[in-house]
Amino acid sequence: MPGVRDKVAIIGMGCTKFDEHWDKDVKDLVVEACYEAFEDAGVEPKDIQAAWWSSVISGLLGRSLAYPLKLNYLPISRVENRCASGHDAFINACYAVACGAFDLVLVCGAEKLKDVGLAIPGIIDPGEPYTSRVKPVFPPPAAFAQLAIRYFHHYGIPIDEGKRTLAKIAVKNHYNGSLNPKAQFQRRITVEDALKAPIIAYPLGLYDCCGITDGAAAAIITRADLAKNYRDDYVLVKGVGMSCGMYQAEIQDDWSMTYIEENVRASRMAYKEAGIENPRKQLDLAIVHDCFTITELVIYEDFGFSPRGKAKEDVDAGTFELKGELPVNTDGGLKCFGHPIGASGLRMIYEAYKQLQGKAGPRQVEIRNQLALTHTLGGTPVDSNTAAIAILGLRGA
Amino acid sequence: MVGITSYGAYIPKWRLSLEAFSRGKGEKAVAGRDEDSLTMGVAAALDCLNGMDRNSVDAVFFASTTSPFKEKSVSATIATVLDLRRDVLTADFANSLRAGTTALKVAIDMVKAGSARNVLVVAADCRLAAPGTVLEQTFGDGAAALLVGGNGTIAEIGGYHTVFDEIYDVWRRDVDLYVQVWEDRFVYTRGYLRVMREATSKLMEEAGVNPQGLTKAVFYTPDVRRVVELAKGLGLDPKAQLQDPLIGTVGNTGTAHALMLFVAALEEANPGDKLIMASYGNGCDAFLFEVGEAVAKLRGQRRAVKAHLQSKRMVPDYVTYLRWRELVKMPEPRVPMAVSYPSAVAIWRERNRIFPLHGVKCQVCGTIQYPPQRVCVKCGSKDSFEEVRLYDRRGKLFSYSYDFLRGTPIGLVNLEGGGRIFCELTDVDVKELKVDMPVELSFRRLDLWRSDGIYGYFWKAIPVRA
């Protein structure tokens, strides 16, 4: 498989502040993110040849980009793959550019969750595989909470002790968020704050759960050989990976549910393309799908950052902190940057892009190998997921 | 030798303290928020058919004044859940608290006539009395089931007498939410006492038994004082001969009540015992049964009344009960958990997966899978499955959680002998939840946000009831 490695470059990105945008609608957010990206790339809307739109509930058609931006009768695809929608849109745009179908395309993801009325984006129902509605209905926290129950049970970790490990992940992401003016939550917390917080879905408490947020993010990508016409510090796509599960957790009675196989598969696909053999050593940073702290803990192991069952030791050692061996979620993650679902994948790419360019301000990490991983995960561990990954790098990487 | 060949009952786990809302003493059984007469009827039917040959059941009758449907057969749903043959006769008996015993009479006559080998009679009720009324103190929720047949009877029918009676004493119009009742003195002197006495004394006379020859009298009981008065009037010793009417523990379970008390009597009965059983509702159906040797074989094999009585949990408060019955209007949730509507087409298509909880077993690798698959999750074989019924299996809780918004626990359950079910957990205190907790499956009504006129039913996991 030839793949997309070094064939596609990001030349501009934009991202709104992620927030409760009571005074803005999704069109406002799209305009803000896309115009920041146009300006960053030094292009104009009329230069764009095609676009990909990522949204779960905030616009079902490609016209959701055409209308606010007045994109002139362009081909625009809408991509929806739950929380992985942003990455999916980005990856599909990369395929289109890599195969030579287009030279300059826009990818935008946006979500307006706070208009829904209650702090749960529960109105999104994938509707499959049951259309009879005769099935348990549950919001995401109660699904990921079961991952924590199984992980702790499997490794013999008492729940109180496990929650302390999770709290450290929340403290880290809150610290990183405090350095990010675009993050929804910019307040630092302590381990005790996290442990004292009310339960959202047992055993997960308030600080184990990501924000529910409005926001948009956008990328402008072009063929790698054209990128230097726009800027010198363009960022290359080094590898992409994606994997969809088959409902094993729900239907297979020997499925352990202590990890997420889709994460393993998607990461190995992306590592192979990017030529990564030791992700913990080779990656400069990773922006991963911390919808819940337990998800981030399991991701450390799924992605090979930590051996199975050993993520706790790395958390205790500060491995994934801003100054640690492999900083994870340098921008605050979903926990603090927020999680406007369709925008999140592109927000992660935004952070990786800025970090690789050395423009991350007070949260800038050391760029040694010029490689950054971004990842989103759609679905839940009690049924099935879509994991999507994009690994980005600078020219030398 | 026509008579009862098996019995079963269901009493919900939930009890409401009468002190919580009245000057009454004791408690009553109330259906959980996800229970109704259909689900309770299913539970009683399953108790009754435990270990019995389902292939020789030729008819299923369901009796209730509180069917969840005014037009849709509950007996057909019960027969579907039970996985019975397609040519089983199903019928719903309704509109009278006598409906259960009337169904029993029809069952006995069908077996006598040879038009059915075994008939399952299920009765359930979940009646509403206006909050704060005396009636509310006596009403309870529950179900009973009897299997009628000609072989292996545990109690043989020895006599029957019926009377009908036109009277407005206790009734509910098509537009009424609550049961209505006329003045006490009239209701008992001209209704209950007169009609019960008439039918039962006539039965004893016809059967040639005197009150001293009866082991137990099992009477539908709207009020303890009145049933004692009835027994005394018939020459019975209420202390020794009257079956405990379960008022103050379960309550008057309406259509199911006489049958449920009869089940309780059979649990204690010895060969040779003579039992009289009578129900009331615009008349009276009275039966005489003689208990046979086979009664011993079911002892300890049924949850029936005794075991269900002991397995209980208190409803936290009266408001909770009112909310369960939707007697207080709550604001609609602003955000639905699902915007899609239940589809009658999909429920029909998936009926085997939903009602008798059929999963599939791969004929190549043996893996049991739920919901049914076309391609095996384990070995990839296509369309080489056999259907297997999964609800009879107990299981262990594999994982669980509950969210603070809905408070509904959910989890994955690994079943004995294979298979995993993702389901809601009910009748459980979330503090009890732990990995590997023993659970069983119970048929319940789903809380659909937008039902589109449909009640969804599905299996949920409950802690194994003792």
Side-chain angles (χ1 to χ4, degrees):
Chain A
M1 287 192 295
V4 298
R5 180 179 177 170
D6 292 333
K7 293 176 183 168
V8 181
I10 307 171
I11 53 162
M13 289 212 69
C15 183
T16 67
K17 181 175 187 323
F18 279 15
D19 212 339
E20 293 173 325
H21 283 296
W22 308 116
D23 55 348
K24 286 173 187 168
D25 70 8
V26 69
K27 299 192 296 299
D28 296 318
L29 299 173
V30 164
V31 167
E32 286 177 25
C34 291
Y35 271 78
E36 184 190 338
F38 294 146
E39 199 174 307
D40 183 44
V43 302
E44 291 186 42
K46 65 174 171 49
D47 302 327
I48 302 295
Q49 297 163 355
W52 277 257
W53 161 239
S54 157
S55 179
V56 177
I57 64 163
S58 310
L60 304 186
L61 285 83
R63 67 186 186 192
S64 293
L65 279 187
Y67 175 40
L69 298 171
K70 308 300 177 291
L71 296 178
N72 199 21
Y73 295 100
L74 295 189
I76 304 172
S77 297
R78 181 238 178 178
V79 178
E80 201 278 312
N81 214 330
R82 278 306 188 78
C83 300
S85 301
H87 269 105
D88 195 359
F90 178 81
I91 289 168
N92 276 286
C94 288
Y95 291 155
V97 170
C99 80
F102 299 104
D103 292 336
L104 190 72
V105 306
L106 169 71
V107 191
C108 178
E111 214 75 73
K112 193 77 184 75
L113 296 179
K114 296 304 294 188
D115 284 7
V116 169
L118 192 65
I120 283 227
I123 57 165
I124 323 146
D125 195 305
E128 39 85 39
Y130 309 90
T131 53
S132 54
R133 315 308 315 141
V134 180
K135 63 154 192 170
V137 176
F138 59 93
F144 282 88
Q146 294 183 66
L147 180 63
I149 292 286
R150 285 314 302 180
Y151 184 92
F152 296 155
H153 180 81
H154 185 80
Y155 293 109
I157 301 168
I159 285 183
D160 288 348
E161 197 183 315
K163 275 179 67 81
R164 188 164 283 274
T165 300
L166 298 183
K168 289 177 185 172
I169 294 172
V171 168
K172 166 184 75 76
N173 288 345
H174 269 269
Y175 175 82
N176 295 350
S178 76
L179 304 175
N180 181 358
K182 286 189 171 179
Q184 181 180 11
F185 302 114
Q186 299 178 26
R187 190 170 68 84
R188 294 176 194 179
I189 61 162
T190 65
V191 166
E192 294 312 311
D193 290 336
L195 292 175
K196 276 189 308 199
I199 293 292
I200 297 296
Y202 183 83
L204 302 179
L206 180 66
Y207 291 109
D208 292 310
C209 306
C210 69
I212 290 173
T213 320
D214 304 325
I220 291 164
I221 62 181
T222 187
R223 280 210 324 266
D225 60 304
L226 302 174
K228 61 181 181 307
N229 299 335
Y230 297 93
R231 65 191 311 146
D232 291 330
D233 59 350
Y234 58 85
V235 167
L236 288 164
V237 178
K238 308 301 285 190
V240 297
M242 195 162 160
S243 171
C244 295
M246 298 164 279
Y247 273 74
Q248 289 96 332
E250 184 179 326
I251 60 179
Q252 200 174 310
D253 63 12
D254 58 356
W255 197 255
S256 78
M257 232 171 77
T258 54
Y259 65 100
I260 294 172
E261 180 68 16
E262 296 88 335
N263 283 339
V264 177
R265 302 296 179 107
S267 62
R268 297 314 181 269
M269 177 177 167
Y271 291 162
K272 192 176 173 210
E273 189 170 58
I276 291 174
E277 280 158 5
N278 184 342
R280 181 165 170 148
K281 293 274 172 278
Q282 287 175 264
L283 291 172
D284 290 325
L285 70 148
I287 313 294
V288 304
H289 196 80
D290 60 321
C291 51
F292 302 94
T293 48
I294 182 64
T295 325
E296 182 166 330
L297 186 79
V298 165
I299 286 168
Y300 297 152
E301 299 177 11
D302 291 342
F303 284 2
F305 301 167
S306 305
R308 286 272 171 230
K310 303 286 184 195
K312 181 179 179 297
E313 293 170 24
D314 283 325
V315 170
D316 289 340
T319 306
F320 307 112
E321 290 171 14
L322 209 51
K323 304 282 177 218
E325 188 183 340
L326 171 52
V328 172
N329 289 336
T330 52
D331 55 0
L334 298 170
K335 174 73 211 69
C336 285
F337 209 136
H339 188 20
I341 308 173
S344 284
L346 289 153
R347 179 274 294 172
M348 294 172 167
I349 293 169
Y350 176 83
E351 171 69 4
Y353 171 86
K354 292 291 183 191
Q355 287 278 2
L356 289 168
Q357 290 177 336
K359 293 177 181 169
R363 60 182 194 281
Q364 181 64 49
V365 300
E366 193 190 341
I367 301 298
R368 291 161 299 186
N369 298 313
Q370 304 182 339
L371 281 173
L373 176 146
T374 65
H375 155 258
T376 45
L377 181 71
T380 85
V382 294
D383 42 37
S384 202
N385 302 280
T386 295
I389 289 172
I391 295 174
L392 310 173
L394 294 176
R395 260 173 298 175
Chain B
M1 283 286 286
V2 173
I4 308 302
T5 56
S6 180
Y7 56 77
Y10 178 77
I11 300 167
K13 194 168 185 178
W14 296 100
R15 304 301 146 79
L16 182 62
S17 163
L18 299 185
E19 284 101 49
F21 65 95
S22 74
R23 273 180 282 175
K25 289 214 173 357
E27 60 201 36
K28 63 180 210 164
V30 296
R33 68 172 294 169
D34 54 1
E35 295 184 291
D36 61 18
S37 293
L38 185 155
T39 66
M40 294 192 295
V42 164
L46 286 170
D47 190 36
C48 180
L49 289 190
N50 182 15
M52 309 300 289
D53 172 27
R54 293 187 190 190
N55 284 323
S56 65
V57 174
D58 293 327
V60 174
F61 298 155
F62 174 74
S64 179
T65 62
T66 52
S67 167
F69 300 99
K70 282 189 174 159
E71 183 171 333
K72 188 176 183 301
S73 165
V74 170
S75 52
T77 304
I78 292 175
T80 306
V81 170
L82 296 175
D83 244 347
L84 299 182
R85 298 189 330 266
R86 288 280 291 158
D87 60 349
V88 158
L89 174 74
T90 58
D92 288 14
F93 291 67
N95 287 11
S96 162
L97 295 186
R98 218 156 35 96
T101 48
T102 309
L104 178 62
K105 174 65 162 82
V106 174
I108 289 167
D109 288 353
M110 279 179 73
V111 174
K112 274 187 180 166
S115 70
R117 287 167 295 170
N118 292 286
V119 181
L120 178 67
V121 176
V122 183
D125 247 334
C126 187
R127 295 156 81 213
L128 287 179
T133 58
V134 175
L135 219 49
E136 192 193 26
Q137 296 173 34
T138 58
F139 281 10
D141 303 332
L146 293 171
L147 190 62
V148 176
N151 286 317
T153 52
I154 58 172
E156 194 188 337
I157 181 79
Y160 169 78
H161 192 87
T162 188
V163 293
F164 67 85
D165 195 47
E166 170 50 45
I167 186 171
Y168 271 103
D169 56 348
V170 180
W171 73 96
R172 184 160 59 92
R173 294 175 303 165
D174 56 352
V175 292
D176 292 333
L177 177 61
Y178 302 121
V179 172
Q180 300 206 47
V181 62
W182 200 263
E183 183 232 328
D184 225 36
R185 294 280 307 155
F186 172 71
V187 164
Y188 289 110
T189 62
R190 290 298 171 270
Y192 180 71
L193 289 173
R194 184 176 70 94
V195 173
M196 289 287 279
R197 198 176 291 143
E198 181 186 347
T200 49
S201 53
K202 195 84 179 154
L203 169 64
M204 287 193 281
E205 190 188 312
E206 285 168 359
V209 291
N210 57 39
Q212 289 71 40
L214 292 176
T215 318
K216 278 273 152 72
V218 179
F219 290 147
Y220 166 79
T221 304
D223 178 273
V224 177
R225 206 158 54 85
R226 298 301 185 173
V227 79
V228 169
E229 191 180 338
L230 171 69
K232 280 182 180 160
L234 288 166
L236 294 159
D237 173 5
K239 277 213 163 62
Q241 287 176 291
L242 191 62
Q243 179 66 30
D244 173 7
L246 302 176
I247 304 292
T249 50
V250 176
N252 167 7
T253 54
T255 307
H257 199 220
L259 299 177
M260 184 186 276
L261 302 187
F262 183 51
V263 167
L266 288 173
E267 283 187 280
E268 304 280 324
N270 294 305
D273 285 359
K274 282 190 165 59
L275 306 174
I276 194 167
M277 187 261 283
S279 69
Y280 178 78
N282 281 117
C284 171
D285 293 328
F287 302 78
L288 181 71
F289 286 99
E290 183 161 345
V291 178
E293 297 289 339
V295 75
K297 76 176 164 47
L298 288 187
R299 201 144 290 167
Q301 304 301 306
R302 296 286 179 271
R303 281 179 178 161
V305 173
K306 223 196 235 174
H308 275 127
L309 262 180
Q310 279 154 18
S311 162
K312 63 173 186 176
R313 246 185 99 193
M314 299 310 290
V315 179
D317 49 47
Y318 188 56
V319 171
T320 302
Y321 165 74
L322 292 177
R323 286 172 67 162
W324 283 359
R325 292 287 88 81
E326 294 177 0
L327 296 178
V328 283
K329 184 117 178 97
M330 298 299 293
E332 296 253 321
R334 258 191 212 97
V335 173
M337 297 312 298
V339 284
S340 42
Y341 288 51
S343 155
V345 180
I347 291 171
W348 174 79
R349 193 168 52 233
E350 297 172 26
R351 61 199 180 280
N352 281 0
R353 153 185 105 67
I354 295 168
F355 298 99
L357 197 73
H358 283 190
V360 290
K361 182 177 182 177
C362 176
Q363 286 169 318
V364 177
C365 74
T367 305
I368 291 176
Q369 292 152 57
Y370 186 89
Q373 304 293 311
R374 292 288 301 275
V375 177
C376 177
V377 70
K378 220 38 186 304
C379 74
S381 306
K382 176 174 168 287
D383 289 332
S384 53
F385 293 102
E386 55 177 322
E387 286 195 20
V388 283
R389 187 169 71 226
L390 296 173
Y391 67 68
D392 333 73
R393 299 168 184 228
R394 289 189 179 179
K396 283 184 173 166
L397 195 57
F398 178 75
S399 65
Y400 62 90
S401 187
Y402 53 90
D403 68 283
F404 82 108
L405 269 180
R406 291 174 74 238
T408 308
I410 56 162
L412 290 162
V413 171
N414 279 352
L415 299 170
E416 283 170 8
R420 178 180 282 187
I421 303 283
F422 183 37
C423 59
E424 283 185 24
L425 298 142
T426 190
D427 289 0
V428 65
D429 181 350
V430 291
K431 292 188 203 80
E432 294 170 51
L433 295 171
K434 57 172 195 279
V435 170
D436 291 339
M437 183 175 89
V439 294
E440 60 182 298
L441 296 168
S442 180
F443 195 65
R444 298 298 173 109
R445 191 149 108 189
L446 291 179
D447 189 9
L448 295 175
W449 184 77
R450 265 188 207 162
S451 71
D452 202 21
I454 284 170
Y455 287 147
Y457 289 95
F458 192 50
W459 296 87
K460 296 185 181 183
I462 59 171
V464 172
R465 275 184 88 167

